[in-house]
Amino acid sequence: MAPSRTVSLVVCILLVGAGLAWWLRPSPTAVAQAPAAVPVVVHEVVAADIPVLLRTLGRVRALNSVEIRAQVDATLVELPVAEGQQVRKGQLLARLDDRSLRAALQQAQAERNVTRAELDIARVDLQRYQNLVRERASPAQTLDQQKALVARLQATLATRDAAVNAAQVQLSHTRIESPIDGRLGIRNVDVGSLLRANDSVSLFSVVQIDPIDVEATLPQRRLPELQRLLGGAQKAPVQAFREDGGALLGTGTLALIDNRVALDTGTLRFKARFDNAREQLWPDQSVVVTLQTGLLEQALSVPLEAIRQRTEGTFVWRVEGDQVQPVAVKVLHEDEQRAVVSGLAAGDRIVTDGQSRLRPGVTVRRAEPVPVGGDQP
């Protein structure tokens, strides 16, 4: 039993010693650690002239578009132009077989010549009968009959003249010329095809490319603005883009407003005229249209990402030194990318990314914007 008491005594002595060592240990010095700075993306507010834009969808419309069709029944014998070619007004586009129509014209001219000769003889006879009646050598009835004959031949000659003119018109339809300046479309028929005047399929189309119109719609509440812009001293600028945020296709001017509001949609159509020498705009193409309705001079704008909401209203985080504070702002105008605000000053630095970890007085450090698809700081 003695060894057990010895072990117990040793254990007790060790426990007492550990307790004394813990109680007598020196107090550690508290090290104050400052919280880490929050990384944020910062934007500096600047004053600039900002256009007020209305954005809508539009469609490109050609000023003139003509479907070229045959006006007589004939065989297509020549196509001196190529598909997609730029043509001028009056340029020969196609030639039809004109042999039968030329023969018809010659026949009409011959019949007119016969009638004209008969009329000349009748007029000579009329002059003779007038002299005989004056000398009482012929009855007046013969003179009256000759006058009637001359009148009938004159009417017949007028009919022959009309027939010749009609044959000339028909013959002219065998040469198909471009009615406008424009670009040819894809050909629908080939040389050697028999064309008929009532064919539903055209040879091809001619479409005027330059200048060109863009047609778009806006809600009817925008009518006063459109009327003001159309009646202004300077033409309102209109821009057409390939798509929302896409490439700029052209800049034109407001040309006209439709004369009525669409009953089913409550929208109003308008047209803008574009110079299109580079042919960036194509007929019936869908585009995004922006119409400038005004200009905010030396306005303060911020990216939309900087605008935050709380119960008190709209605010932004402003960087003051190395800390942030919320600043109330009022949005005066906004578009898809930025907002024009009051409550800030030029040169203020505001946070556009990283706001989720911000509190008033929090220390921040500036971080570079993250590319689309990258990781957040």
Side-chain angles (χ1 to χ4, degrees):
M1 299 298 294
S4 298
R5 287 196 298 270
T6 302
V7 171
S8 299
L9 181 61
V10 172
V11 171
C12 291
I13 292 173
L14 291 175
L15 290 174
V16 171
L20 290 173
W22 180 86
W23 183 71
L24 295 174
R25 80 189 191 284
S27 300
T29 303
V31 179
Q33 294 184 353
V38 177
V40 294
V41 178
V42 178
H43 172 83
E44 184 174 344
V45 179
V46 296
D49 294 343
I50 298 177
V52 179
L53 303 176
L54 294 177
R55 188 178 298 269
T56 184
L57 294 177
R59 191 165 296 277
V60 182
R61 302 294 188 191
L63 269 67
N64 295 289
S65 178
V66 182
E67 295 292 329
I68 304 299
R69 290 184 170 88
Q71 294 180 269
V72 293
D73 297 347
T75 301
L76 179 62
V77 296
E78 184 184 6
L79 282 172
V81 291
E83 295 172 306
Q85 178 180 334
Q86 188 76 28
V87 296
R88 308 294 297 177
K89 181 178 180 180
Q91 183 174 343
L92 181 65
L93 303 180
R95 189 171 63 84
L96 308 182
D97 186 3
D98 62 355
R99 290 173 296 178
S100 61
L101 293 175
R102 192 173 297 279
L105 173 61
Q106 293 173 348
Q107 180 179 354
Q109 290 172 333
E111 293 175 349
R112 181 184 62 179
N113 293 338
V114 171
T115 303
R116 183 176 292 163
E118 293 175 347
L119 179 60
D120 291 341
I121 295 174
R123 284 172 174 168
V124 172
D125 290 342
L126 177 60
Q127 184 65 40
R128 183 181 302 111
Y129 287 134
Q130 288 174 339
N131 294 334
L132 291 176
V133 169
R134 191 179 303 112
E135 297 173 358
R136 299 181 182 276
S138 177
Q141 181 180 3
T142 304
L143 178 60
D144 293 339
Q145 291 175 346
Q146 192 62 29
K147 288 181 179 180
L149 176 61
V150 170
R152 179 173 63 80
L153 290 174
Q154 287 176 334
T156 302
L157 181 60
T159 302
R160 303 299 188 206
D161 284 336
V164 170
N165 292 336
Q168 288 174 336
V169 171
Q170 290 292 96
L171 181 61
S172 68
H173 291 328
T174 61
R175 290 178 55 87
I176 301 177
E177 299 175 348
S178 178
I180 60 172
D181 294 344
R183 185 174 294 281
L184 294 180
I186 296 176
R187 187 179 73 248
N188 298 318
V189 296
D190 298 320
V191 173
S193 302
L194 176 61
L195 306 181
R196 299 188 181 279
N198 58 356
D199 283 343
S200 59
V201 178
S202 62
L203 278 75
F204 35 60
S205 62
V206 181
V207 177
Q208 184 175 352
I209 301 293
D210 181 29
I212 205 166
D213 285 344
V214 172
E215 180 182 308
T217 59
L218 285 172
Q220 59 183 342
R221 69 176 184 275
R222 300 293 187 180
L223 176 59
E225 293 175 83
L226 291 174
Q227 290 174 324
R228 174 179 58 82
L229 294 173
L230 196 61
Q234 294 183 342
K235 294 184 178 180
V238 180
Q239 291 183 316
F241 297 86
R242 190 179 307 279
E243 57 190 8
D244 198 10
L248 176 64
L249 299 178
T251 300
T253 55
L254 182 64
L256 62 94
I257 308 170
D258 199 9
N259 59 0
R260 66 184 67 187
V261 174
L263 294 177
D264 54 343
T265 61
T267 57
L268 186 66
R269 294 189 301 170
F270 68 90
K271 277 187 177 182
R273 182 68 48 82
F274 287 75
D275 291 331
N276 195 35
R278 297 177 58 192
E279 298 184 350
Q280 294 292 306
L281 296 168
W282 210 250
D284 297 329
Q285 177 185 9
S286 179
V287 295
V288 174
V289 177
T290 60
L291 172 64
Q292 183 175 333
T293 61
L295 183 67
L296 301 176
E297 297 182 352
Q298 293 301 295
L300 301 176
S301 66
V302 298
L304 288 181
E305 304 84 49
I307 303 295
R308 317 302 288 178
Q309 296 291 336
R310 59 183 177 181
T311 55
E312 294 84 357
T314 305
F315 74 100
V316 298
W317 289 103
R318 182 170 61 190
V319 180
E320 300 176 356
D322 61 351
Q323 296 182 343
V324 293
Q325 296 293 337
V327 177
V329 295
K330 181 179 180 181
V331 177
L332 305 177
H333 170 75
E334 69 176 71
D335 54 28
E336 289 76 7
Q337 296 180 340
R338 60 189 174 184
V340 176
V341 299
S342 61
L344 295 174
D348 284 349
R349 295 178 300 149
I350 60 171
V351 177
T352 60
D353 193 11
Q355 298 98 323
S356 61
R357 299 168 58 187
L358 298 183
R359 299 293 183 272
V362 166
T363 302
V364 296
R365 63 178 175 85
R366 187 163 187 165
E368 294 299 324
V370 178
V372 177
D375 298 331
Q376 293 294 332

